[in-house]
Amino acid sequence: MNNLKKKYKKVREHSVAICATLEVEDYVIQPVADVSPPKWHLGHTTWFFETFILKAKQKDYKEFDPQYNYVFNSYYETIGARVVRTDRGNLSRPTVSEVFKYRKYVDEQMLSFLEKLDSDTEVAKLLELGLQHEQQHQELLASDIKYILGHNPLFPTYKAIRSSVHNSVNTGDIRFEAGIYEIGYNGFGFCFDNELGRHKTYLDKYLISNNLVTNAEYLAFITAGGYSDFRYWHAEGWDWVKKNDKISPLYWHNINGKWMYYKAEGLCEIEMNAPVCHVNFYEAFAFASWSGKRLPTEAEWEVASDHLNWGERWEWTSSAYLPYPGFVIEEGAIGEYNGKFMVSQMVLRGASEATPDGHSRKTYRNFFHPSQQWQFSGIRLVG
């Protein structure tokens, strides 16, 4: 358990480090339904360890506060009632300081519990899942903090996040011949249940770009009237453009004829050679259509991944989020983790600059609704 204890401490400390430059007021804001207040993420990830390990596995464990189960449960129907997601920003209590006390209490209890535990495969499995779950929320923390501060008219600076690019020597386009390929997780380390079920799939020949679409390339789409021409958009995407008066990716601002972009350093002039970021599936599809190309399927992306530069942006694919052959939902609350969301979502592959160390692999299946822009998402094209 020593290695897991070290990893536990490292992961838990990183969540706090992401919030290092926040003011107390920043912890409680929820500007839109998709964004949760930072203090809720800190509490929810703590609740996960308390609920699934300490309460379930430690004899005579005393909860920090029994009411926190209602406050910090996210979507686990098995665990009971919970605060509606859209109301998380209405919770002035527990306070930020109380949430940090909660984290400290559970961390002390967890480390003491693990110290006394010689070996337990089930606990080790739950602990690893809890750490991976917290790393997912670390990326959400980075995304939500950027949204909260990026919609403040003062455009404040905040703690920068690292880049996790997977470098490759290849440039330009890479050709793959038609044939039968295998996708899905095939290893001995951790993976989520939605990655399991390695299987064969037929792919026609395709040409995939080794480079992500840049801001300059996307600006050309904007300048050419991409947001005012219905021909490039799905009907649902075109409805989204009109309803929301969209003219650019999230965090782009046209100020006195100059395009600016909000990031950790504040409002800056757009870097034309940087990969475009914070586009949703509708926008990614429309850009591909305007370019005379298309988005890769998740199978095409995974087969090509060993030859690609990836890791700067989550990359939209044209694949709906569906189960692999043989997928089975586990019993109990843990079974609610991925399977229940396999509807109305699109798959993204890769990783982003906000993805924590050790939390990316080529079989990882991220998924979001086509309209969501606030993740660090970008575009790769197939010819």
Side-chain angles (χ1 to χ4, degrees), residues 93-289:
R93 307 295 175 91
T95 64
V96 175
S97 63
E98 287 170 335
V99 170
F100 276 101
K101 289 176 184 176
Y102 180 40
R103 284 184 72 87
K104 184 175 185 292
Y105 176 81
V106 169
D107 285 347
E108 289 173 348
Q109 294 291 319
M110 279 292 300
L111 292 171
S112 176
F113 173 66
L114 294 174
E115 187 70 40
K116 300 171 186 175
L117 200 67
D118 292 329
S119 62
D120 188 316
T121 304
E122 184 181 0
V123 170
K125 182 180 178 182
L126 284 170
L127 181 61
E128 184 61 48
L129 178 62
L131 295 174
Q132 296 285 335
H133 167 261
E134 180 136 0
Q135 287 182 309
Q136 288 181 314
H137 277 271
Q138 288 168 354
E139 187 149 9
L140 288 170
L141 260 174
S143 304
D144 291 357
I145 288 169
K146 183 172 184 176
Y147 194 98
I148 290 167
L149 299 181
H151 285 77
N152 184 306
L154 301 179
F155 296 116
T157 61
Y158 63 96
K159 182 179 174 65
I161 46 184
R162 62 168 192 86
S163 177
S164 57
V165 183
H166 293 238
N167 290 313
S168 167
V169 297
N170 297 302
T171 57
D173 295 332
I174 307 170
R175 178 179 298 276
F176 288 85
E177 299 302 324
I180 305 294
Y181 296 89
E182 286 193 354
I183 64 168
Y185 187 77
N186 183 28
F188 299 100
F190 176 86
C191 75
F192 288 109
D193 57 0
N194 62 3
E195 301 171 57
L196 295 172
R198 189 168 177 83
H199 59 283
K200 293 180 173 62
T201 184
Y202 172 78
L203 298 179
D204 205 349
K205 63 182 179 180
Y206 65 102
L207 197 66
I208 188 169
S209 175
N210 189 42
N211 305 306
L212 294 174
V213 171
T214 65
N215 287 324
E217 291 169 324
Y218 199 87
L219 182 57
F221 168 67
I222 295 174
T223 304
Y227 280 85
S228 58
D229 193 332
F230 72 90
R231 293 177 299 166
Y232 306 127
W233 300 79
H234 285 114
E236 190 174 288
W238 184 239
D239 288 343
W240 173 83
V241 169
K242 292 187 295 180
K243 180 180 179 180
N244 297 284
D245 296 321
K246 291 294 182 179
I247 60 169
S248 66
L250 188 62
Y251 305 121
W252 283 42
H253 301 273
N254 193 320
I255 301 175
N256 298 324
K258 180 180 293 186
W259 281 104
M260 308 292 284
Y261 173 68
Y262 178 72
K263 56 182 181 177
E265 294 78 13
L267 195 62
C268 307
E269 192 169 347
I270 285 178
E271 299 173 51
M272 290 301 172
N273 292 326
V276 68
C277 194
H278 298 295
V279 289
N280 64 21
F281 174 77
Y282 300 144
E283 292 168 300
F285 174 87
F287 178 86
S289 179

Side-chain angles (χ1 to χ4, degrees), residues 14 18 132 134-140 142-143 161-166 310-315 349-361 364 366 375-376:
H14 185 57
I18 292 171
Q132 296 285 335
E134 180 136 0
Q135 287 182 309
Q136 288 181 314
H137 277 271
Q138 288 168 354
E139 187 149 9
L140 288 170
S143 304
I161 46 184
R162 62 168 192 86
S163 177
S164 57
V165 183
H166 293 238
W310 61 271
E312 286 188 272
R313 305 284 184 263
W314 283 104
E315 304 174 26
R349 289 302 195 101
S352 82
E353 62 192 66
T355 306
D357 286 326
H359 193 68
S360 61
R361 54 192 167 273
Y364 198 117
N366 205 350
Q375 286 300 304
F376 290 80

